[in-house]
Amino acid sequence: MKRDWKIIQEILCAIEDNKVKMHWEQIPESEQKNVLLHYELLKESELITNYELVSDMDDDGKCTYHPNFLPQSPNVPGIRMTMKGYDLLEVLRDQTLWNRILSKAKSLGVKLTYEFIVQAIPVIYKTMM
C-alpha cells in the first residue's frame, strides 16, 4: 500500500460532512482494504478519533472488515476529526498552500510525510506574507 493524500482528504471530508457511511458504501470492494489502511493511518496519527476496525464473519467463514461508524452508546459520539485532522484538511483543500508544500518537498528531495507537512506550513506561510 502507498499512502494516498487524496484518499486521506476524501475520508476527512466525509467525516466533516457527516457522510462517512455513504462514502464507504461507494468504495468498490477491490479498494476497501486500501481505504481501511488509510483510516488506520489517520487514527494512529491522531487525526481521527472514535474509530475502530470491525470484522464480520459470514456464513461461509469469510471475514470482512469495515470501519465502525456508529457510536456504541447514545452518549458517545461517532467517528470524528480531531483538531489536527481539521488542520490537515484545511491544508489539503488550499491548493496554493498544498502545491507549495509539494514543491518544497520536491526541491529538498524529501518524502512527503505528515511531519514534513506540519513543519513546512509555518515556513511557507512566512514566504506568502
Side-chain angles (χ1 to χ4, degrees):
M1 176 201 106
K2 289 188 177 185
R3 180 178 45 203
D4 185 327
W5 292 102
K6 183 169 175 36
I7 292 173
I8 289 171
Q9 181 177 5
E10 288 173 2
I11 292 169
L12 294 176
C13 285
I15 293 170
E16 180 185 51
D17 294 339
N18 201 25
K19 295 182 179 180
V20 71
K21 186 173 183 186
M22 184 185 338
H23 172 258
W24 175 254
E25 290 169 350
Q26 294 174 353
I27 298 170
E29 190 174 333
S30 62
E31 296 176 27
Q32 287 181 352
K33 181 179 178 184
N34 189 33
V35 173
L36 280 175
L37 292 171
H38 282 80
Y39 272 97
E40 291 294 307
L41 290 174
L42 291 168
K43 180 182 177 182
E44 291 166 2
S45 300
E46 299 177 347
L47 298 170
I48 62 173
T49 188
N50 297 345
Y51 159 80
E52 62 183 17
L53 186 63
V54 178
S55 63
D56 291 324
M57 188 78 68
D58 67 14
D59 294 337
D60 297 329
K62 181 182 175 190
C63 189
T64 58
Y65 296 91
H66 58 88
N68 182 18
F69 301 118
L70 303 174
Q72 296 300 310
S73 72
N75 298 326
V76 178
I79 187 171
R80 67 175 183 81
M81 276 189 282
T82 63
M83 184 66 81
K84 291 185 339 183
Y86 278 104
D87 291 345
L88 178 61
L89 182 56
E90 290 299 319
V91 171
L92 293 172
R93 283 183 172 151
D94 183 334
Q95 284 302 301
T96 302
L97 179 57
W98 184 245
N99 288 334
R100 288 184 184 199
I101 290 170
L102 294 174
S103 182
K104 187 75 161 170
K106 187 175 181 178
S107 72
L108 294 172
V110 298
K111 300 285 183 195
L112 186 62
T113 64
Y114 174 72
E115 291 301 323
F116 177 81
I117 293 167
V118 169
Q119 292 177 15
I121 292 169
V123 173
I124 291 170
Y125 274 145
K126 284 181 185 177
T127 64
M128 293 171 72
M129 296 180 163

